[in-house]
Amino acid sequence: MTTNSDKKRLYIGGEWLEGNDHYDLRSPYSGKVIAQVPLAEKETVLKAIECAEQGAKEMKKLTALERSNILERAAGIFKERLEECALILAKENAKPLKAARGEILRTIETYKFAAEEAKRIHGETIPMDAAKNGKGRFAYTKREPLGVIAAITPFNFPFNLAAHKLGPAFAAGNSVILKPASQTPLSALAAAGIFEEAGLPKGALNVVTGKGSVVGDILVTDPRIKMVTFTGSVEVGLGIKERAGLKKVTLELGSNSAVIIDSAADLDAVAQRCVEGSFAYSGQVCISVQRIYVQEDIYESFLQKFTEKTKQLKFGDPESEDTDLSALISINEAKRVEGWIESARNAGTEIAYGGQRTGAVLHPTIIKNAGSTQEVSCQEAFAPIVSVNSYKTWDEAIDLVNDSLYGLQAGVYTTSMPKAFDAVERLEVGGVIVNDIPSFRVDHMPYGGVKNSGTGREGIKYSVEEMTELKLAVFTL
Ligand code: NAP
């Protein structure tokens, strides 16, 4: 496993295959070529599907213990290669090393959860005699693997978001074709190497690199693929759902996550958490804090603390130990959000801090009281930009959070128990985080959104449900 400027291979059917065509993979921060990556063509993808069908047969033969042991071994190898994997992230998606190590630690935990979950996939007995015609029958359910699953992943957490698909798929006895984002193929190929070493049967994991529009389209439409598990943008997710036919589809899509700060025992600590939630990995996190709604009595105090703490962030080279923010995934993304800042300024909105861009690095930016129709409020930024807004009443705060096309997670800071429960009832999101930011996630909790944030849930146990079919057996006694 290297991260040098070398030619990468595809991993198909347990073999490392040369590609015909390649593209140059560049570091988002330095712009330097870090690898040449195969552009999989139609024939290659079809071969991967064939191999995955064989792989699915092999996976189905394994016992729960054998599947669990493979996942446990993979987690162990990730642990040994923590630094190597973190460096891959720093290079291919400009994730600062501190955050990159955090992602690998979570990846290890995700695979460990999957190893545990492999041992408890079970059905239930059904009380058939509860029905008039059920007397003299005995029935039970069991969960069976689906077969071949296509996993399509985004650039922002390429190790851990792949783990959220590979882990439960293997735990349940499926095979996978993994299509990583074009900007982050090295992590996917590194994961393939680790599973090969961990003893995964040939064909159980296949990695096809190349353009989403080419590779993705074949995977989404081929009838041999039984499920598409996708994490990425709304636009691509919608296209997948439209073309997938009767396949199962789970979509983990974007958001413009909000937090309400109604009252807090320690406003300093809240401000610190909001800085972490707004600017971690330069805001390129699906549950990044993008909208902060603060009760008007504590607004100025919060804004001052939040701005002071934001000023302490360091931006620069992702491979430096003290870097907090680095380049966005591309210079175009940085320019897009620079344009949003400009239009907010033109609309008379105050930029409380930041707003500058240096190449692909957008400086952490705080906007005051952005209107709900401004891009920074109503679209997904995926950049280090946050609007801090004041509100008068509790009902107004709830309405402001719900005034969004998205609904992934929301955070609520309050010292009032009734308000906390009220927020859980009324916020239109997949998860409400009380007394913390919406960016809170651990890897076994159910995770997913409503509205344009997607459909289906991840979190190993919940993914296993999505990745298995329920079978019923009825015995006439
Ligand atoms: P993206 O542009 O939608 O790409 C995601 C994946 O889809 C990539 O592998 C991409 O390949 C592939 N793809 C592109 N066109 C396709 C097509 N026609 N058919 C099938 N696949 C296709 O997203 P991104 O920019 O990498 O990631 C950012 C987005 O992901 C944000 O919206 C973020 O909110 C979302 N996200 C959501 C979650 C969550 O759990 N809800 C977590 C992380 C990120 P190429 O790279 O080759 O185009």
Side-chain angles (χ1 to χ4, degrees):
M1 197 164 71
T2 64
T3 55
N4 304 327
S5 178
D6 60 354
K7 226 178 194 175
K8 295 292 168 186
R9 292 172 181 219
L10 298 148
Y11 185 66
I12 294 174
E15 311 290 334
W16 292 92
L17 305 180
E18 291 269 10
N20 291 327
D21 283 334
H22 294 78
Y23 65 97
D24 285 342
L25 179 70
R26 290 178 185 276
S27 145
Y29 180 72
S30 69
K32 287 190 184 138
V33 175
I34 50 173
Q36 288 184 313
V37 181
L39 277 166
E41 297 140 341
K42 184 171 181 183
E43 295 67 41
T44 319
V45 183
L46 294 179
K47 185 179 167 67
I49 298 174
E50 246 170 64
C51 292
E53 278 204 301
Q54 278 308 313
K57 287 184 189 147
E58 295 305 312
M59 287 300 286
K60 210 173 171 182
K61 286 184 208 156
L62 297 183
T63 65
L65 181 61
E66 285 166 337
R67 299 194 304 271
S68 175
N69 285 345
I70 291 168
L71 286 158
E72 192 63 50
R73 279 199 293 276
I77 303 171
F78 267 107
K79 203 169 169 189
E80 286 163 18
R81 306 221 178 125
L82 197 151
E83 282 303 311
E84 201 178 332
C85 291
L87 199 58
I88 289 175
L89 289 177
K91 287 190 190 301
E92 75 173 1
N93 75 359
K95 184 164 287 182
L97 270 181
K98 281 191 284 192
R101 289 190 188 106
E103 178 176 341
I104 306 306
L105 287 171
R106 277 185 61 187
T107 304
I108 294 164
E109 202 167 49
T110 304
Y111 282 122
K112 278 180 158 292
F113 277 126
E116 290 162 10
E117 206 55 44
K119 295 182 181 175
R120 50 184 180 229
I121 300 172
H122 55 80
E124 58 185 0
T125 54
I126 313 291
M128 297 299 279
D129 62 358
K132 207 171 170 192
N133 292 335
K135 193 173 176 200
R137 315 267 174 167
F138 171 77
Y140 66 92
T141 59
K142 63 193 289 268
R143 294 210 156 261
E144 294 196 333
L146 299 178
V148 182
I149 294 179
I152 304 177
T153 48
F155 73 83
N156 62 336
F157 287 84
F159 275 113
N160 196 36
L161 293 180
H164 270 284
K165 302 185 184 309
L166 306 186
F170 298 152
N174 298 288
S175 68
V176 176
I177 301 175
L178 173 61
K179 151 68 186 103
S182 292
Q183 184 57 46
T184 54
L186 304 185
S187 42
L189 294 169
I194 286 173
F195 272 105
E196 184 181 34
E197 246 183 276
L200 190 73
K202 285 183 192 301
L205 173 59
N206 306 274
V207 180
V208 280
T209 52
K211 286 190 182 139
S213 50
V214 177
V215 176
D217 208 48
I218 304 167
L219 294 176
V220 169
T221 51
D222 193 291
R224 290 169 292 177
I225 306 277
K226 301 301 177 215
M227 176 183 182
V228 179
T229 164
F230 173 80
T231 302
S233 62
V234 177
E235 194 191 6
V236 176
L238 270 176
I240 288 175
K241 188 110 167 89
E242 278 164 16
R243 285 173 292 134
L246 287 177
K247 289 182 177 62
K248 281 196 175 193
V249 175
T250 54
L251 301 174
E252 299 291 338
L253 309 178
S255 191
N256 59 350
S257 301
V259 55
I260 298 173
I261 303 169
D262 195 62
S263 52
D266 182 350
L267 204 56
D268 260 307
V270 176
Q272 181 57 40
R273 280 296 281 159
C274 286
V275 169
E276 290 160 21
S278 304
F279 302 120
Y281 188 41
S282 297
Q284 299 171 115
V285 180
C286 47
I287 35 177
S288 186
V289 175
Q290 192 176 318
R291 299 176 293 149
I292 304 180
Y293 298 108
V294 193
Q295 210 288 326
E296 62 179 5
D297 297 343
I298 51 173
Y299 179 77
E300 287 304 334
S301 168
F302 172 81
L303 186 64
Q304 188 247 328
K305 291 174 193 296
F306 182 66
T307 309
E308 282 312 309
K309 291 178 195 301
T310 301
K311 284 180 184 167
Q312 288 160 24
L313 296 173
K314 292 199 171 68
F315 38 88
D317 188 341
E319 291 182 45
S320 296
E321 289 293 341
D322 60 351
T323 296
D324 297 301
L325 282 86
S326 187
L328 291 189
I329 201 67
S330 72
I331 192 159
N332 285 342
E333 288 300 301
K335 284 182 179 166
R336 168 179 61 82
V337 183
E338 190 182 33
W340 291 12
I341 296 167
E342 206 41 50
S343 62
R345 217 181 247 125
N346 293 340
T349 312
E350 190 183 332
I351 313 299
Y353 182 69
Q356 308 88 329
R357 176 179 67 80
T358 313
V361 179
L362 189 75
H363 299 207
T365 300
I366 303 169
I367 296 195
K368 275 178 81 171
N369 287 314
S372 62
T373 54
Q374 284 184 18
E375 287 141 324
V376 66
S377 293
C378 63
Q379 295 190 28
E380 180 182 40
F382 231 55
I385 180 167
V386 59
S387 70
V388 186
N389 317 282
S390 66
Y391 69 84
K392 281 187 199 307
T393 67
W394 172 250
D395 285 349
E396 187 189 346
I398 297 281
D399 289 345
L400 283 164
V401 174
N402 286 341
D403 183 16
S404 169
L405 294 171
Y406 299 100
L408 196 45
Q409 294 199 147
V412 183
Y413 282 95
T414 177
T415 50
S416 152
M417 285 299 279
K419 280 183 177 171
F421 280 103
D422 188 50
V424 172
E425 290 305 310
R426 289 165 66 196
L427 290 176
E428 298 160 1
V429 288
V432 176
I433 314 295
V434 176
N435 285 331
D436 207 344
I437 47 177
S439 330
F440 174 80
R441 183 182 184 188
V442 287
D443 292 285
H444 63 312
M445 72 187 214
Y447 179 77
V450 298
K451 300 182 182 173
N452 281 4
S453 291
T455 170
R457 291 291 178 273
E458 291 197 335
I460 307 302
K461 174 183 161 201
Y462 307 92
S463 301
V464 164
E465 282 172 15
E466 310 267 8
M467 291 175 171
T468 49
E469 204 69 77
L470 196 68
K471 186 181 257 182
L472 171 71
V474 181
F475 286 66
T476 309
L477 300 174

